[in-house]
Amino acid sequence: DTAVSQTPKYLVTQMGNDKSIKCEQNLGHDTMYWYKQDSKKFLKIMFSYNNKELIINETVPNRFSPKSPDKAHLNLHINSLELGDSAVYFCASSARPSGGRDIQYFGAGTRLSVL
Amino acid sequence: RKEVEQDPGPFNVPEGATVAFNCTYSNSASQSFFWYRQDCRKEPKLLMSVYSSGNEDGRFTAQLNRASQYISLLIRDSKLSDSATYLCVVNRGGSYIPTFGRGTSLIVHP
């Protein structure tokens, strides 16, 4: 069983379209994240939800809207896609143990190409 | 100064070599430190946490130097399968927010 699964694995779309990426974790974690890894391989946190509540929003454009229907799911909807949105998007989850030693478990990534 | 800085490499070493990577961080209040490994076109996976006293896991040794604000990863007896990108991760001071370095690429050749 995959611990953190995200779909689709590949997404090719035209500029201006709206698309969604889904993520589910079966680890029982309370916290989920979305990261973006650009062509230079720089992995940057976008959002974090703890028990369905948004706790981190790293100055991401409003076109990106995360939604967490329950603590096991965190979906990412992107409106009006732009060329610069092309990247690999990773979902992750963590258990948030006390002391801040917060280990991230990543999904396999969604490769988004905007044409 | 970037929050977390790493030499991108690549480090090109023969099998059996010892190789070391450093990572510097800017926030002196940071409390949690990790090394992750990312294979080509795969997701990052935890390699090891970094503890204040330093820690070892088989051929891998991690060290933390708070005074100079850097962490290091030493790999002994490199294997071909160690070829990957090694990501330094530092939690922002006083928070759980992880900041990833750009990664250091390691290529181990026969």
Side-chain angles (χ1 to χ4, degrees):
Chain A
D1 270 350
T2 306
V4 181
S5 58
Q6 51 183 113
T7 54
K9 196 164 181 180
Y10 300 95
L11 191 48
V12 181
T13 188
Q14 300 284 337
M15 263 174 45
N17 283 351
D18 303 338
K19 290 292 177 188
S20 291
I21 309 172
K22 294 186 175 181
C23 179
E24 176 181 1
Q25 54 95 4
N26 62 8
L27 296 167
H29 290 163
D30 285 338
T31 308
M32 295 185 73
Y33 307 79
W34 276 109
Y35 288 85
K36 177 179 179 180
Q37 190 168 43
D38 60 24
S39 57
K40 291 193 166 82
K41 308 297 181 192
F42 199 25
L43 192 66
K44 289 189 77 170
I45 190 167
M46 300 171 70
F47 300 103
S48 178
Y49 271 70
N50 180 257
N51 245 328
K52 303 192 295 174
E53 299 293 326
L54 179 68
I55 53 171
I56 298 171
N57 182 340
E58 290 287 291
T59 59
V60 177
N62 290 341
R63 299 183 295 104
F64 291 78
S65 50
K67 288 211 172 24
S68 182
D70 55 63
K71 73 174 192 176
H73 295 84
L74 180 61
N75 304 323
L76 183 65
H77 188 77
I78 315 170
N79 288 329
S80 304
L81 277 154
E82 299 177 357
L83 294 176
D85 297 332
S86 296
V88 182
Y89 291 84
F90 286 102
C91 176
S93 72
S94 71
R96 283 280 178 98
S98 62
R101 199 153 284 279
D102 186 22
I103 295 169
Q104 310 275 307
Y105 294 82
F106 285 86
T110 295
R111 297 181 182 281
L112 171 65
S113 296
V114 182
L115 307 176
Chain B
R1 184 180 176 181
K2 289 195 179 120
E3 286 187 75
V4 179
E5 288 202 73
Q6 295 182 251
D7 179 349
F11 284 62
N12 208 317
V13 303
E15 270 185 291
T18 295
V19 62
F21 310 134
N22 279 345
C23 164
T24 57
Y25 60 95
S26 59
N27 191 329
S28 60
S30 295
Q31 294 294 324
S32 299
F33 310 90
F34 309 88
W35 285 101
Y36 280 70
R37 171 192 169 132
Q38 186 172 23
D39 291 298
C40 188
R41 300 179 74 82
K42 297 284 189 183
E43 72 273 22
K45 290 183 179 174
L46 179 72
L47 178 67
M48 57 198 301
S49 299
V50 185
Y51 297 101
S52 297
S53 54
N55 47 298
E56 193 173 300
D57 183 2
R59 298 181 293 109
F60 299 84
T61 301
Q63 299 263 337
L64 168 64
N65 185 319
R66 285 191 189 275
S68 301
Q69 292 180 213
Y70 76 83
I71 67 173
S72 63
L73 178 68
L74 182 78
I75 306 175
R76 288 181 300 279
D77 189 22
S78 298
K79 312 286 184 199
L80 295 176
S81 57
D82 293 335
S83 298
T85 297
Y86 291 84
L87 302 165
C88 171
V89 182
V90 177
N91 280 19
R92 286 182 205 168
S95 81
Y96 288 104
I97 301 174
T99 303
F100 282 74
R102 189 163 291 213
T104 297
S105 175
L106 172 65
I107 301 168
V108 182
H109 59 81

